[in-house]
Amino acid sequence: MPRPPIYNGFLHLTPNHHSHGYWRTDEGRIQLGYKDLDPYIDVVRTLERGRFDSLFIADVVGVYDLEYGDGTGTIRAGSQFPENDPAAIVSALGYVTEHLGLAITSNIIQDHPFSFARKLSSLDHYTHGRVGWNIVTSYLSNGFRNFGHNGITSHDERYEWAQEYLDVTYKLWEHSWEDGAVVADAASGTLFDPDKIHTIDHVGPRYKVQGPHIVEPSPQRTPVLFQAGNSTAGREFAVRNAEVTFLPSVTPEAARKDVRELQEQARAAGRAPGSLKTLVQLSTVIGSTEEEARRKQQHLHDNIDFDGLIGFYSGGSGIDFTSIDPETPLTELRDRVALGDHVRSIFRAIVDADLGRGRELTWREYLLEHALLPGRFAGTPEQIADHVQGWVEAGVDGFNVVPITTLGWWGEWVDHVVPVLQARGLAQTEYAEGTLRQKLFGQGDRLPVTHHGRALGLAPALT
Ligand SMILES: Cc1cc2nc3c(=O)[nH]c(=O)nc-3n(C[C@H](O)[C@H](O)[C@H](O)COP(=O)(O)O)c2cc1C
């Protein structure tokens, strides 16, 4: 019998994740506690009460819109700014939970792979095998400038860089220590068997790492690997490396096709069936009646900080949208020659999608209704469960649950929606035993032997 869908709680250690400016409202002010540990302890306890599979912490290492407009929109609104470091909180969250997976985002520019592998192995020990890694290549040019680069590296080159980064970590996690390297034989005075611990001697275009790994193999060795690549290079990277990937689909119909194509690609790349799980974003506004849910959604729209949203959107896409009047109809933007071919092609695609179903949308309406939390659904718990069912029937394996407020919102979901989902077999009622990987895949603690990271091996030592 297949397991119920996977649920990740999506978090960001910042005053506003996607509800830009909502900190100003009575409901949103709680997010200003983002610097404290206690509110997050509350979040993970709530997630565990709701039998979430994992907490998933997003992260960026720069300001979204420093290069766009007057460069202040996201700073003033506190949109994904400031950003506390996800790795710093994992031990504490692991200590107060027993089963919840703890997946952190870390990008390839912020850490050397040797120190990153060491950090994740340590966290996997301290959490008894519950750590995951969201592999990101970073899309913020300010992020690159913060780490000594002149600007953002080109898109496909970032994925090549990421592959080498991962290969270094695979060598450290999977190949540096053989099984049986820990001896602890008091009679011979041998704690570790040097013959079973190897240097990795990695030499590549960006990294030179001798090794050995300086942390004992942790329960999962490699953390569970999450990734969200939608481009051609991103998909290739996902089918080679990811164990859980995020689909861009905003409707179940789109997901059906996306899942099929991805799984065909994974099969062609030699991945075992079921070894690459697909998640979609699930963003909901919950009401005891449909009317209440709609009212809450309107309240959210009315309180979005538009400069923050536009700055976020500009930084995320690498296109300066700050000078466009939000009240401009999309068709006018599609035809505005001064915007250039690339930007106009984006507006053409949006207009062609006919998201207003015949109604002409303005740029503001499009951003609020479709770009802010794509696929957002407002309804009662029963309607949300119907909505979830539609996605499951389309073949997705689970959901990244996006809250309206990073802190304070989770009880609403767990107390009102989860019981309905559980009653319909759409959410687990108990945790399976074991590590995060064992819980998600039921095939043991380690990467499958056919996975690239296991198959890689160590190159012969250079002399
Ligand atoms: C659910 C989800 C979470 C993401 N989290 C982050 C994040 O925390 N930090 C980040 O820099 N990028 C994040 N991304 C962006 C992806 O890493 C990636 O850049 C994006 O999906 C575009 O991939 P592509 O260039 O292959 O199309 C996220 C994407 C998705 C869909």
Side-chain angles (χ1 to χ4, degrees), residues 393-451:
E393 284 167 7
V396 307
D397 296 303
F399 302 94
N400 209 29
V401 178
V402 188
I404 299 301
T405 57
T406 52
L407 302 174
W409 179 85
W410 297 98
E412 218 178 311
W413 174 271
V414 167
D415 293 333
H416 299 289
V417 181
V418 169
V420 182
L421 294 172
Q422 287 175 330
R424 296 197 195 178
L426 289 172
Q428 64 184 355
T429 52
E430 287 308 330
Y431 282 109
E433 288 303 317
T435 58
L436 176 59
R437 183 171 283 110
Q438 168 62 19
K439 284 180 167 73
L440 293 179
F441 298 92
Q443 305 275 329
D445 301 333
R446 301 208 32 202
L447 278 179
V449 285
T450 52
H451 185 283

Side-chain angles (χ1 to χ4, degrees), residues 137-156:
T137 57
S138 187
Y139 43 62
L140 296 184
S141 56
N142 174 240
F144 277 81
R145 290 180 213 279
N146 289 339
F147 289 91
H149 304 277
N150 291 328
I152 192 162
T153 303
S154 72
H155 180 272
D156 287 8

Side-chain angles (χ1 to χ4, degrees), residues 10 56-60 105 134-139 155 159 228-231 234-235 246 281 400:
F10 200 26
F56 180 82
I57 310 178
D59 190 44
V60 288
T105 298
N134 180 32
I135 310 156
V136 300
T137 57
S138 187
Y139 43 62
H155 180 272
Y159 277 114
N230 294 317
S231 55
R235 278 291 159 89
F246 299 94
Q281 212 135 284
N400 209 29

Side-chain angles (χ1 to χ4, degrees), residues 312-334:
F312 167 76
Y313 205 71
S314 297
S317 61
I319 298 168
D320 190 352
F321 289 107
T322 55
S323 60
I324 296 177
D325 177 357
E327 306 311 331
T328 317
L330 288 172
T331 45
E332 198 184 316
L333 295 171
R334 176 196 60 188

